[in-house]
């Protein structure tokens, strides 16, 4: 009842509801294009490796997150998000010119712009949400955001694939452009009192370093962000074994789609309960619980059983978002407004860049070792990560209790 009521409070809030609707619309277009772009490259080139460059190109701007986040701290977040949406909507029609391998540079350029706008947009979104959503509902909003984005990953790729099969890549680009225009319109309807950010007077490099220093020196943010990066590294390493696991079970590669769908449903569920779980457990314990669940699920995937594979996929979907929701909710709560863009973008870089490293390293490891060896090792490393974070949570709780006792002697 409590969870349902708090989620209803978020959805019924005009600004929060509008923003979530805009996010749903843009996530639908983004997920549609993410699948179609790889298929497009595969059809034009016949290469099995070049499609991976689509994901790599879109992820590359994350490496420049701290610097790109500075942009979000210099501009009002609402107008910035509208501008980014409209800029992507204007860039996507360029993909109509991609008809042969010689035109693929246009696709990769658009994907690079896509990734850059995504990094700046997430930093701006963090600042905007901090002014739209009451502090006690930030966890619920973060959970709903996860539900929306993961839910679209269940629906949109099938739509994008069908549209691509029927009309080709330009049709998917046109759909995506339309979703960005609609999302920009919904952002324009937000009623948020935004002050023009004050300029610090320093150079951009110093402003960027200030955000990095704040995050890494913060006793709450650093453990959560570090645990998030470690978890994403190990999760991506384990993700590279999925085709080998499916092959061992005797299924065709297409059966991986079933596992990803089940994992997606787990993530949708995690988003719905995250707010209540954060309030009950606190950020570190909530994150540690999710990491521990992910650890057990990753290790269980080594068992050659369809039922175990499906159960582990659901558990990974349920556990993996916990550390992300905890970390980024903490960033929004603990960071002063003038630094929020830079700190959010820095956290994005530290949490998600290890995923790219894990995909690259894991692809090599799975060629030389069996999943039955690798998966228990990945699960053990995740369990250690969860244990260390939980210990820090207990230590922080004891310190707080001692401080309260000292402040109120009997």
């Amino acid at each position: 009842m409590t969870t349902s009521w708090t989620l209803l409070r978020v959805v019924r809030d005009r600004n929060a509801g509008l923003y979530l609707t805009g996010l749903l619309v843009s996530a639908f277009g983004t997920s549609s294009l993410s699948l179609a772009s790889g298929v497009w490259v595969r059809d034009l080139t016949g290469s099995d490796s070049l499609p991976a460059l689509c994901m790599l190109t879109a992820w590359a701007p994350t490496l420049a997150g701290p610097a790109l986040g500075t942009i979000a701290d210099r501009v009002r977040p609402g107008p910035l998000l509208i501008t980014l949406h409209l800029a992507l909507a204007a860039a996507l029609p360029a993909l109509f010119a991609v008809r042969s391998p010689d035109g693929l540079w246009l696709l990769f350029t658009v994907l690079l712009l896509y990734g850059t706008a995504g990094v700046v947009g997430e930093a701006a979104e963090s600042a905007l949400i901090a002014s739209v959503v009451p502090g006690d509902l930030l966890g619920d909003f973060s959970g709903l955001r996860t539900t929306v984005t993961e839910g679209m990953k269940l629906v949109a790729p099938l739509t994008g694939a069908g549209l691509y099969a029927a009309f080709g890549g330009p049709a998917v680009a046109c759909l995506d452009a339309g979703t960005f225009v609609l999302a920009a319109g919904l952002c324009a309807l937000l009623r948020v009192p935004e002050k023009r950010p004050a300029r610090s007077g320093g150079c951009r490099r110093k402003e960027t370093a200030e955000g990095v220093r704040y995050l890494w020196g913060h006793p709450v943010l650093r453990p959560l962000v570090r645990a998030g990066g470690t978890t994403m590294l190990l999760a991506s390493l384990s993700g590279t074994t999925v085709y080998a696991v499916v092959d061992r079970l005797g299924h065709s590669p297409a059966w991986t789609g079933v596992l990803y769908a089940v994992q997606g449903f787990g993530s949708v569920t995690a988003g719905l309960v995250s707010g209540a779980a954060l309030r009950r457990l606190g950020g570190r314990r909530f994150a540690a619980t999710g990491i521990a669940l992910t650890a057990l699920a990753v290790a269980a995937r080594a068992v050659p059983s369809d039922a175990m594979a499906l159960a582990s996929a659901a558990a990974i979907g349920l556990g993996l978002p916990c550390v992300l929701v905890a970390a980024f909710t903490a960033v929004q709560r603990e960071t002063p407004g003038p630094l929020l863009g830079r700190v959010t973008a820095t956290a994005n870089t530290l949490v998600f860049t290890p995923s790219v490293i894990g995909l690259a390293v894991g692809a090599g490891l799975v060629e030389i070792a069996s999943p039955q060896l690798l998966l228990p090792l990945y699960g053990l490393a995740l369990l250690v990560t969860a244990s260390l974070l939980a210990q820090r949570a207990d230590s922080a709780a004891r310190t707080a209790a001692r401080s309260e006792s000292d402040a109120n002697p009997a």
Side-chain angles (χ1 to χ4, degrees):
M1 179 64 74
T2 302
T3 300
S4 300
W5 172 242
T6 52
L7 291 179
L8 187 61
R9 281 181 61 195
V10 175
V11 175
R12 290 181 64 181
D13 181 88
R14 181 182 183 277
N15 286 327
L18 278 172
Y19 192 82
L20 282 171
T21 303
L23 180 65
L24 184 149
V25 170
S26 61
F28 181 84
T30 298
S31 296
S32 298
L33 185 66
S34 65
L35 175 66
S37 60
V39 178
W40 200 350
V41 171
R42 176 66 175 79
D43 284 347
L44 288 176
T45 65
S47 170
D48 290 327
S49 58
L50 281 177
L53 286 179
C54 295
M55 181 183 295
L56 183 61
T57 302
W59 274 97
T62 306
L63 297 172
L68 291 173
T70 305
I71 299 173
D73 285 332
R74 293 182 169 211
V75 185
R76 288 183 297 159
L80 177 57
L81 283 168
I82 294 171
T83 301
L84 291 171
H85 288 326
L86 293 178
L88 287 173
L92 282 162
L95 299 184
F96 277 78
V98 180
R99 297 188 178 91
S100 68
D102 292 338
L104 283 178
W105 68 272
L106 271 174
L107 176 59
F108 289 119
T109 299
V110 169
L111 290 174
L112 186 64
L113 292 173
Y114 217 106
T116 303
V119 173
V120 178
E122 287 187 8
E125 175 194 292
S126 187
L128 183 67
I129 295 310
S131 61
V132 167
V133 181
D136 62 326
L137 295 179
L138 282 174
D140 298 276
F141 184 92
S142 297
L144 280 176
R145 187 187 189 283
T146 299
T147 297
V148 167
T149 54
E150 293 298 325
M152 285 303 98
K153 290 177 183 178
L154 297 175
V155 179
L158 295 176
T159 304
L163 193 61
Y164 177 85
F167 303 105
V172 183
C174 189
L175 168 69
D176 199 13
T179 62
F180 278 119
V181 171
L182 183 54
L186 290 167
C187 280
L189 295 175
L190 293 172
R191 297 173 184 168
V192 184
E194 296 183 83
K195 297 180 180 179
R196 185 177 295 277
R199 296 294 180 90
S200 67
C203 68
R204 181 168 296 183
R205 182 178 299 176
K206 289 183 178 179
E207 290 181 356
T208 300
E210 187 179 2
V212 176
R213 283 197 301 269
Y214 180 86
L215 187 151
W216 204 246
H218 198 286
V220 173
L221 300 183
R222 183 172 63 184
L224 283 170
V225 169
R226 187 163 54 193
T230 304
T231 301
M232 294 306 293
L233 171 65
L234 293 165
S236 61
L237 284 169
S238 69
T240 60
T241 67
V242 65
Y243 288 102
V245 168
V246 168
D247 181 64
R248 188 182 182 216
L249 293 173
H251 298 292
S252 70
W255 204 71
T256 58
V258 176
L259 294 180
Y260 284 131
V262 172
Q263 182 173 326
F265 280 113
S267 296
V268 169
T269 303
L272 294 174
V273 302
S274 288
L278 265 175
R279 282 188 292 273
R280 177 176 290 274
L281 299 174
R284 292 190 191 180
R285 287 196 182 93
F286 174 59
T289 301
I291 298 169
L293 179 59
T294 304
L296 297 176
V298 165
R301 186 170 273 182
V303 178
S305 161
D306 284 4
M308 188 62 74
L310 292 169
S312 65
I316 290 171
L318 190 61
L320 190 57
C322 296
V323 67
L324 304 180
V325 171
F328 288 103
T329 299
V331 167
Q332 290 175 327
R333 285 177 174 164
E334 301 288 338
T335 307
L339 287 174
L340 195 48
R342 280 165 281 175
V343 174
T344 298
T346 300
N348 269 320
T349 297
L350 294 175
V351 170
F352 293 115
T353 299
S355 296
V356 181
I357 299 172
L359 289 171
V361 175
L365 289 176
V366 81
E367 293 292 332
I368 60 176
S370 71
Q372 289 66 45
L373 172 64
L374 295 173
L375 288 169
L377 292 176
Y378 298 152
L380 178 60
L382 283 165
L383 205 56
V384 170
T385 302
S387 177
L388 291 174
L389 189 60
Q391 288 175 12
R392 290 192 179 96
D394 292 338
S395 175
R398 287 193 296 270
T399 300
R402 286 196 299 268
S403 299
E404 185 176 348
S405 176
D406 292 341
N408 300 282

